[in-house]
Amino acid sequence: MKFTVLTLFPEIPRAFFEASIMAKAVEKGIIAYDLVNIRDFAFDRHKTCDDKPYGGGAGQLLMAEPLGRALDSVKAYKKHVIYVTPSGKPFTQKKALELSQKEEIVLVCGRYEGIDQRIIDLYVDDEISIGDYVMSSGELAATVIVDSVYRLVDNVITPESLDEESYSDGLLEYPQYTHPAVYRDLAVPEVLTSGNHENIRKWRLKKRLQKTLANRPDLIAAARMKGELTAEAEKMIEELLDMHLSKHDRKKNRRK
C-alpha cells in the first residue's frame, strides 16, 4: 500500500514514516510513501501557495493552482484522495479498515483556513475529520489517519494483536497488565495468572463491557440495537447495570 501526502511541511510526516513499526513496514516493502511539497508547484520565486479568500474574512487559504498541479503530478485522478478537514465526516475504525484495502491513498494537508473549494470539487473523494476540534496542522491530522490505516494492512501487525482492540467489534479494549506482578501494592488480577483460559476470556469480556458502558455507552446502545452482542454479553451487561444501580442507591441512602 502507498501513502502520498501533499503538504507545505513534508518534514512533519517524514519523521513518522521513518520511525518505529512504520519504518519496518517500509523497509519490508509492505508500505510505500511519497511526500510532495506543494511549494514546488508554485509559480513565483517566493513559492506563494496561499492568498486571502474572496468575499473577505480572516486568514489565508491554500490556492487552487499550486495544489492542483501537485495533485496532477501524482495522477490523483486515478487514486483515492482524502482532504483532512474539521468539516469532514468523522473518522472511525470502520473507515480505517475500508481505507486499508486501497492500493494508494493521497492525503491533502490543509493549512490556515483550508483549501480552495474547487480543489475539493475536482479531486477529493473523502473529506475526513479526526475529531470535533480545529488544528493548525493538517499534517498531524493526516498522520493520525495514516497511523490508523497502515497498521491494518496485512503483515504489518500480527492479526492476533488486532482481534480485540478498541472498536474492533464495537467495544473498548479490556485492561492489560505486565511485570511486575505487584506494583505499589497493586497486584495483577488473580484471574490473569490462574492459567484458566475460559475464566480469563470471561473476565476480559466483562471488563470490555464495563469500560464501554462507563466511557462510551453509545457504543453499547448501538451494538444492542443491531443485535451484535452475544447472549453472554447481554447477561453481563444486565449484571453490570444492576451493580451500578445498587451502588447508586447505596450512595443515595448515605446522603439522607
Side-chain angles (χ1 to χ4, degrees), residues 119-133:
I119 291 295
I120 298 173
D121 295 340
L122 292 170
Y123 293 93
V124 173
D125 298 298
D126 266 331
E127 293 182 74
I128 294 179
S129 167
I130 63 167
D132 295 340
Y133 50 89

Side-chain angles (χ1 to χ4, degrees), residues 20-135:
S20 191
I21 299 172
M22 171 60 89
K24 293 177 182 177
V26 171
E27 184 180 345
K28 292 177 182 177
I30 302 170
I31 301 296
Y33 71 96
D34 187 16
L35 304 178
V36 179
N37 192 332
I38 301 168
R39 294 191 191 279
D40 292 340
F41 298 88
F43 290 100
D44 66 334
R45 63 188 179 89
H46 299 294
K47 302 293 184 182
T48 304
C49 290
D50 60 287
D51 206 343
K52 295 178 181 178
Y54 278 112
Q60 299 284 102
L61 202 65
L62 286 186
M63 298 161 63
E65 288 179 318
L67 186 48
R69 293 176 69 200
L71 285 160
D72 289 340
S73 77
V74 299
K75 297 182 172 57
Y77 52 87
K78 294 182 178 179
K79 298 159 187 174
H80 193 81
V81 179
I82 296 171
Y83 170 45
V84 189
T85 168
S87 61
K89 294 179 181 178
F91 188 53
T92 63
Q93 187 70 14
K94 182 180 179 181
K95 187 63 177 180
L97 184 59
E98 175 192 321
L99 293 174
S100 72
Q101 308 303 311
K102 305 286 185 186
E103 289 187 13
E104 182 172 355
I105 293 173
V106 177
L107 294 111
V108 178
C109 301
R111 277 272 166 172
Y112 318 120
E113 296 302 311
I115 68 175
D116 192 296
Q117 179 64 36
R118 290 167 291 187
I119 291 295
I120 298 173
D121 295 340
L122 292 170
Y123 293 93
V124 173
D125 298 298
D126 266 331
E127 293 182 74
I128 294 179
S129 167
I130 63 167
D132 295 340
Y133 50 89
V134 178
M135 302 172 67

Side-chain angles (χ1 to χ4, degrees), residues 197-212:
H197 296 295
E198 178 60 14
N199 286 347
I200 291 172
R201 182 194 67 78
K202 289 180 179 179
W203 181 89
R204 284 176 169 171
L205 174 58
K206 190 169 186 177
K207 288 297 181 180
R208 295 185 78 199
L209 293 166
Q210 187 176 33
K211 189 167 188 175
T212 309

